[in-house]
Amino acid sequence: IRVSQPWKIKEIALLVESLKIRIEHLHIKSDFLDRKYRTSVFVRQLVSSFFVMLLGFPLFLFGMIHNFLQYKLVDLLVIRMVKDVEYHAPVSVLFSLFVYPAAYTGFLIGFSSFVDNDFWWKLAYFVSMPLSGLFSYYYVRYYRHISFKRKYIFLMRKRKSDIETLKQERESLRNLIFKS
């Protein structure tokens, strides 16, 4: 965009805001607008995702049980103790270096009361806690992606005209930006 066309900047900003509001209202991701919609492919992906989610749920639950409280505690401590947002990430890492090992040690002590002095079981349990926490994090991200995909399928079936209108508006935005 050339400075000699300042009216385009305002027009682009308005169009971007309009698209953003409409996409949020429909609860989909904007990158789904780029995908070609083929019902059979999307339904097959949803069905396979359902089975992946079902099989992964026990590990997700294990990870949530062993990591959720620490996650929330670190988040709460950082928000209450650090006022400047730019310091939230490093302070979160610092707090996590103490909170997570302490919580894992507490879980391990509790687990040790159920398992006789078998070192390998205790080690496996201790190692599984942070790994299952990572799994839980990615499980939630995958679930959100699948729910966006599910919403997109239903929108394409029930409100296809709204999706097509969004695609046309986005294309006009691209033309406004890239074709002077």
Side-chain angles (χ1 to χ4, degrees):
I1 298 173
R2 287 178 257 153
V3 180
S4 63
Q5 300 172 336
W7 66 88
K8 278 191 174 183
I9 294 173
K10 187 171 183 167
E11 189 176 347
I12 289 169
L14 289 172
L15 195 52
V16 165
E17 189 61 30
S18 170
L19 282 168
K20 181 181 168 191
I21 289 169
R22 292 188 57 202
I23 287 172
E24 287 174 0
H25 177 72
L26 292 174
H27 302 290
I28 60 169
K29 288 183 178 180
S30 61
D31 64 325
F32 282 127
L33 297 176
D34 291 327
R35 298 179 182 184
K36 291 191 178 199
Y37 178 73
R38 292 185 307 228
T39 306
S40 62
V41 172
F42 271 86
V43 170
R44 185 178 44 221
Q45 288 174 350
L46 279 181
V47 170
S48 64
S49 297
F50 171 76
F51 287 112
V52 168
M53 298 290 292
L54 190 64
L55 290 173
F57 186 74
L59 187 56
F60 161 75
L61 198 56
F62 182 84
M64 285 297 291
I65 290 168
H66 290 89
N67 291 280
F68 186 75
L69 288 176
Q70 301 90 282
Y71 174 77
K72 286 299 181 185
L73 178 64
V74 167
D75 199 31
L76 182 70
L77 287 172
V78 168
I79 288 172
R80 289 189 180 218
M81 296 179 80
V82 179
K83 301 298 178 211
D84 295 326
V85 177
E86 62 267 10
Y87 296 113
H88 281 200
V91 173
S92 291
V93 170
L94 184 65
F95 284 161
S96 295
L97 288 173
F98 296 102
V99 171
Y100 279 87
Y104 293 157
T105 303
F107 279 120
L108 185 60
I109 290 169
F111 181 73
S112 295
S113 66
F114 294 110
V115 176
D116 294 330
N117 276 334
D118 189 2
F119 171 77
W120 295 110
W121 277 107
K122 291 175 184 176
L123 180 65
Y125 180 69
F126 191 78
V127 169
S128 69
M129 286 186 278
L131 293 177
S132 65
L134 284 172
F135 179 83
S136 295
Y137 170 75
Y138 286 108
Y139 186 92
V140 169
R141 284 187 59 188
Y142 186 69
Y143 174 78
R144 287 183 182 145
H145 174 74
I146 295 305
S147 47
F148 280 122
K149 192 175 276 193
R150 181 181 50 82
K151 289 173 188 171
Y152 182 70
I153 287 173
F154 289 119
L155 284 173
M156 286 302 288
R157 299 183 98 210
K158 305 267 186 204
R159 297 173 66 183
K160 190 172 184 171
S161 62
D162 289 346
I163 300 294
E164 293 303 323
T165 303
L166 273 175
K167 287 181 179 182
Q168 290 170 357
E169 285 181 22
R170 196 183 55 177
E171 190 57 37
S172 66
L173 175 65
R174 284 181 179 157
N175 288 337
L176 188 61
I177 292 171
F178 296 114
K179 296 179 183 174
S180 303

